[in-house]
Amino acid sequence: MAEQEKKRFGKIPPKPRFNLLWMYLIIMVIFFGWTYFSESGKTKETDWRTFKSEMLLKGHVSEIVVVNNERVEVHIISDTLAKAAIHEEIRNARTGPHYTFTIGSVDFFQNQLEEAQQEMPNNQKISPKFETRVNWFSNILSWLLPIFIIVFVWLFIFRRMAGRAGGAGGNPFMNTGKASPKIIEGKDKIDVNFNDVAGLDEAKEEIMEVVDFLKQPEKYKKLGAKIPKGVLLTGPPGTGKTLMAKAMAGEAGVAFFSISGSDFVEMFVGVGAARVRDLFKKGREKAPCIIFIDEIEAIGRSRSMSKTQTNDERENTLNQLLVEMDGFNSNDGETVIILAATNRPDLLDKALLRPGRFDRQILIDKPDVTGRRDIFKVHLKKLTLAEGIDPEELARQTPGFAGAEIANVCNEAAIHAARKKKEVIDMDDFISAIDRVIGGLEKRNKLISPKEKKIIAYHETGHAVCGWFLENAHPLVKVSIIPRGEAALGFAQYLPKEKNLYTKNELLDTICMTLGGRVIEDLIFKDISTGAQNDLERTTQMAYAMIALYGMNKKVGPFSFKDLQNEYSMRQPYSEETANMIDDEARKLMQECYARTVTLLNEHMDKIHEIAAELMEKEVMYKVDFDRILGERPFADD
Ligand code: ADP
Ligand code: ZN
């Protein structure tokens, strides 16, 4: 992005502007100089004492002028000027004033002058003239200078804005409403296709479908199928969302518009909306085409979440986007498909995800070992490698890396080899490249040490095995120890049942399953970690809810204390005694669940070691893998 910005800046020739400014400066300097020299060039600075003793009393003075009540100008009789030695320096000046000095106050000066001339004959006495002179130059300057400064600042700001708006034109206002997407047209221009995107097979398949829409819309229209309008790619940064979008355009052989959500966000009201309108107008002209909006969360943030007034502008932009998406009809020959990417789909406004908008979501996740191997293969192709560089080995050494980081490793390795003046890139180069990239990553997000990896693997295995053997828990889909975003180090994904009711036994089993991670850490490592915090938060909530909200505890009885969650209520809606009882019962319930989980996991310890080992190696395991190791789940996955 930064590079693009620079390029746009580069288009604007800033030179003439600055030359003009220099000219103003030079004119100013000359002006100053001229006034300065014209006033004092032939005039010599002196003081009252010298003036009095050397000139006034000796009868050299022809005229005294008091200017602006602050300065005295002295004119010398021309005969004297030519002869007297003290006037040597200013002899060449014909016209006065010849000397000048400043005075403190006019009254005082007049008194002094009077006193000094007391003994002189009356006809030789000189009385001063008074003059008021306006200094035009400094007056003009004092109001011209602020204008200069304002104009300069104004120019500077608009130059920047024009730059951001992508306009190279003269009038900065004209360009603010124009979107400036990067446009790539034609099949030949996009040199990316699906072969450049490694792994991500499921995502590719889905995208392929959309490409098919673009290629032969007739086939779908004939059957009355609606062509999808929006596809949302979600996933962590660097996993290849942009790459995927480009490959899609390349495969379909249509024009590709790429713009970032943050490009729409401006300080002026209405600019974002105008840019959206403009982008869609351009898109329609070039249809069929793909419009790719990166970082859509910059404009598509949920409206309910932003409560401040300042977000009005973003809301307008979002509304305009919705209007545009609803406005065009892909079936009328305007085949425009909007792809958007975000790594925070949870932040997006629900309105964006409604049918007819971004109703298809494709998850682009961080790659597992095999995915990373394939990505390495793609990027290694471009390098000159030493014998025996094994992509599989490299994949094993780079847990948690996304595609962007892998591309980076390959590049760093090549640079490292070049610096060492090697002919080919060998494993040494890759190892130092990996270290380098890890060094950069460590600062930004967490990478996992081997010891941590083991803990996480067992932790997730604990959840998974509990879920497997607890009848009322959710059926398992996938377990992963690839770190995801900020919070989750690993996860076990279950198929959530569409449920409106939960029975007591289901809740109890869910608590056990959620405790499974912590329990197994305790059993295996005889030590427990902070990794279970989120689990414990959920079990605590569930336990208290069972007792105080759902009335599922015999001792407390069938009560629902609604205000339990209300932090504003001043008083608990029950007695201190009941509060203690609830606490006691919650603790008892948790202890029972814990004990049950310990027993359950102990029963399956061999399998747990087996699963954890496989998970450490493969990083992701699916239901089929569990079927293989644990045998068919003893309950129906309804
Ligand atoms: P995102 O848009 O998800 O942040 P990008 O698409 O910009 O990520 O990916 C950055 C770079 O990482 C790509 O240009 C490519 O070189 C590399 N990359 C990412 N994912 C893959 C992949 N699946 N296969 C090959 N290269 C990839
Ligand atoms: Zn857990």
Side-chain angles (χ1 to χ4, degrees), residues 459-460 463 490 513-514 516-518 521 531-532 534-535 538:
H459 180 109
E460 299 305 332
H463 287 308
M513 187 183 76
T514 314
R518 160 53 66 89
E521 283 181 39
N534 185 258
D535 296 339
R538 291 211 311 266

Coordinates of all heavy atoms in Angstrom, one line a residue, residues 459-460 463 490 513-514 516-518 521 531-532 534-535 538, ligand 2:
H459 N -3.8 -30.8 25.5 CA -5.0 -30.1 25.9 C -6.2 -30.3 24.9 O -7.3 -30.7 25.3 CB -4.7 -28.6 26.0 CG -5.8 -27.7 26.4 ND1 -5.9 -27.1 27.6 CD2 -6.9 -27.3 25.8 CE1 -7.0 -26.4 27.7 NE2 -7.6 -26.5 26.6
E460 N -5.9 -30.1 23.6 CA -7.0 -30.3 22.6 C -7.4 -31.7 22.5 O -8.6 -32.0 22.3 CB -6.5 -29.7 21.3 CG -6.2 -28.2 21.2 CD -7.3 -27.3 21.7 OE1 -8.5 -27.7 21.6 OE2 -7.0 -26.3 22.3
H463 N -10.0 -32.4 25.2 CA -11.4 -31.9 24.8 C -12.0 -33.0 23.8 O -13.1 -33.4 23.9 CB -11.3 -30.6 24.0 CG -11.0 -29.4 24.9 ND1 -11.7 -29.2 26.0 CD2 -10.1 -28.4 24.8 CE1 -11.3 -28.0 26.6 NE2 -10.3 -27.6 25.8
G490 N -5.2 -23.2 20.0 CA -5.6 -24.4 19.3 C -7.1 -24.5 19.5 O -7.7 -23.7 20.3
M513 N -16.7 -31.9 29.0 CA -15.9 -31.8 27.8 C -15.0 -30.5 27.8 O -13.8 -30.5 27.4 CB -16.8 -31.7 26.6 CG -16.1 -31.8 25.3 SD -17.3 -31.7 24.0 CE -17.6 -29.9 24.0
T514 N -15.6 -29.4 28.3 CA -14.8 -28.2 28.3 C -13.7 -28.3 29.4 O -12.7 -27.6 29.2 CB -15.8 -27.0 28.6 OG1 -16.9 -27.2 27.8 CG2 -15.1 -25.7 28.4
G516 N -12.1 -30.9 29.9 CA -11.2 -31.9 29.4 C -9.7 -31.4 29.2 O -8.8 -32.1 29.5
G517 N -9.6 -30.2 28.7 CA -8.3 -29.7 28.4 C -7.5 -29.5 29.7 O -6.3 -30.0 29.8
R518 N -8.1 -28.9 30.7 CA -7.4 -28.6 31.9 C -7.1 -30.0 32.6 O -6.0 -30.2 33.1 CB -8.3 -27.7 32.8 CG -8.0 -27.7 34.3 CD -6.6 -27.4 34.7 NE -6.1 -26.1 34.3 CZ -6.2 -25.1 35.1 NH1 -6.8 -25.2 36.3 NH2 -5.7 -23.9 34.8
E521 N -4.1 -31.8 31.2 CA -2.8 -31.1 31.5 C -2.4 -31.6 32.9 O -1.2 -31.9 33.2 CB -3.0 -29.6 31.5 CG -3.0 -29.0 30.2 CD -3.2 -27.4 30.2 OE1 -2.5 -26.8 31.1 OE2 -3.9 -26.9 29.4
G531 N -3.6 -21.9 29.7 CA -4.3 -22.1 28.5 C -5.8 -22.4 28.7 O -6.6 -22.4 27.7
A532 N -6.2 -22.8 29.9 CA -7.5 -23.2 30.1 C -8.5 -22.1 30.5 O -9.6 -22.3 30.8 CB -7.6 -24.3 31.2
N534 N -10.1 -19.6 29.1 CA -11.3 -19.4 28.4 C -12.3 -20.6 28.7 O -13.5 -20.4 28.9 CB -11.0 -19.3 26.9 CG -12.3 -19.0 26.1 OD1 -12.9 -19.9 25.5 ND2 -12.7 -17.8 26.2
D535 N -11.7 -21.8 28.8 CA -12.6 -22.9 29.1 C -13.2 -22.7 30.5 O -14.4 -23.0 30.6 CB -11.7 -24.2 29.2 CG -11.1 -24.6 27.8 OD1 -11.6 -24.1 26.8 OD2 -10.1 -25.3 27.8
R538 N -16.1 -20.4 30.6 CA -17.3 -20.9 30.1 C -17.9 -21.9 31.1 O -19.2 -21.8 31.4 CB -17.1 -21.6 28.8 CG -16.7 -20.6 27.7 CD -17.2 -21.1 26.3 NE -16.8 -22.5 26.1 CZ -15.7 -22.8 25.4 NH1 -14.9 -21.9 24.9 NH2 -15.4 -24.1 25.2
Ligands
ZN2 ZN -9.4 -25.7 26.0

